[in-house]
Amino acid sequence: MLNPTAIANEQDYSEKDIKSMFIRRFRKDLDQKTSTNFRQRHISKIKAEASSLEEEVFSELKALQFQNLDKNKRPSHLLRVILEKALLSSPVACSKTLENKIQKLQKQGLSNLGQSLVAEIENLQDFKEKVDRLEDGSFSKVQRLLTLLKDWKWKGRDPKDRLVIFTERIETLFYLESRLTRDLKLK
C-alpha cells in the first residue's frame, strides 16, 4: 500500500516476496515501547436467573420431539441444539430461527410432507407462540443488563466510555440495539 513498486508483479507473488513487509506486534511488546500504556479492559461475566416463564419455555423445548426433522443428521446439526442456542441468545433469535424453519418446511408443500412432518410443523408453530410470549419484557438477561447499566450509571453519552456486548445471534444484536436505545434513551 505504501510502496507500489515493492512487488515486481502484483499478479504473481509468493509469501517469501512479501514476508519482509509484515510485522506482527503483540500488546505486551508495545506496552514496553510506548510512553502511555493501553487501558486495561474489564471483562465481566454476569449471570441472570431465568424467569418462571423462561423456565417453562425451556422445558417445552426439551419436551419437543423431532423424529423426522432430525432424521439422518449429525448430533451437532440437530434442530433441538440449534433452537437451544438461539433461545439462550434471546427469544427474538429463537423465534426467528423457528420462523425460518417453518417457512422452509412449508415451501416444500404440506401435500409433499408426510403426516408426521405436518405434526412436527404444528409443534414448531406452537412452540414459537410460547417463545414469542418472552419478548414482552420477561427476558431476564436483558432485564439484568439494564439493571447493571443503571447501577453503573452508564449513560452511553461519552464516546470514550464504551461497552462491548457479545451476542450469539444477529437477531439478538438488533434486539439489544433497539431495547438499549429505547430504555436508556440513546441516540
Side-chain angles (χ1 to χ4, degrees):
M1 287 176 56
L2 299 177
N3 184 354
T5 62
I7 300 173
N9 182 356
E10 54 183 73
Q11 304 302 319
D12 181 30
Y13 61 92
S14 69
E15 183 181 334
K16 185 180 125 194
D17 296 325
I18 61 173
K19 189 173 183 174
S20 65
M21 296 180 203
F22 288 93
I23 300 170
R24 185 169 184 180
R25 304 240 188 235
F26 294 97
R27 181 179 171 167
K28 63 181 175 148
D29 300 327
L30 293 176
D31 272 342
Q32 297 166 1
K33 294 178 180 166
T34 59
S35 59
T36 57
N37 289 335
F38 292 103
R39 290 181 64 186
Q40 289 296 319
R41 63 183 174 152
H42 302 283
I43 301 172
S44 301
K45 289 184 184 180
I46 297 161
K47 296 181 181 187
E49 191 157 330
S51 67
S52 58
L53 186 55
E54 287 172 309
E55 291 286 358
E56 182 183 320
V57 170
F58 197 76
S59 294
E60 291 280 338
L61 174 59
K62 289 173 82 173
L64 281 177
Q65 298 294 315
F66 302 117
Q67 294 173 345
N68 291 298
L69 294 176
D70 280 341
K71 196 182 245 183
N72 301 322
K73 303 261 177 144
R74 295 183 316 207
S76 63
H77 291 102
L78 293 173
L79 181 57
R80 184 180 326 282
V81 172
I82 293 168
L83 291 174
E84 185 176 306
K85 286 181 77 172
L87 182 58
L88 291 172
S89 182
S90 72
V92 176
C94 188
S95 183
K96 184 66 174 173
T97 302
L98 285 160
E99 180 183 316
N100 291 342
K101 184 64 175 175
I102 292 166
Q103 285 177 356
K104 185 177 176 182
L105 290 168
Q106 288 175 336
K107 279 184 183 176
Q108 295 175 8
L110 294 179
S111 59
N112 297 337
L113 300 174
Q115 192 61 33
S116 59
L117 266 179
V118 172
E120 287 184 12
I121 291 172
E122 289 171 3
N123 288 342
L124 289 174
Q125 290 169 329
D126 291 343
F127 182 63
K128 184 180 180 314
E129 287 177 20
K130 291 173 179 140
V131 169
D132 289 343
R133 291 188 327 201
L134 291 172
E135 295 180 30
D136 67 353
S138 58
F139 179 34
S140 62
K141 285 183 179 180
V142 78
Q143 297 302 326
R144 180 76 173 113
L145 175 62
L146 288 168
T147 301
L148 280 171
L149 292 176
K150 288 174 184 175
D151 289 349
W152 292 340
K153 297 181 180 19
W154 186 84
K155 304 264 189 251
R157 297 194 184 13
D158 182 356
K160 295 177 186 173
D161 187 18
R162 297 182 183 184
L163 179 70
V164 178
I165 302 171
F166 293 95
T167 64
E168 176 72 26
R169 302 291 172 102
I170 192 77
E171 293 84 9
T172 303
L173 178 69
F174 294 143
Y175 170 73
L176 286 175
E177 178 184 28
S178 168
R179 282 295 304 266
L180 296 177
T181 301
R182 183 188 74 208
D183 294 354
L184 299 174
K185 296 173 180 55
L186 302 172
K187 291 181 184 177

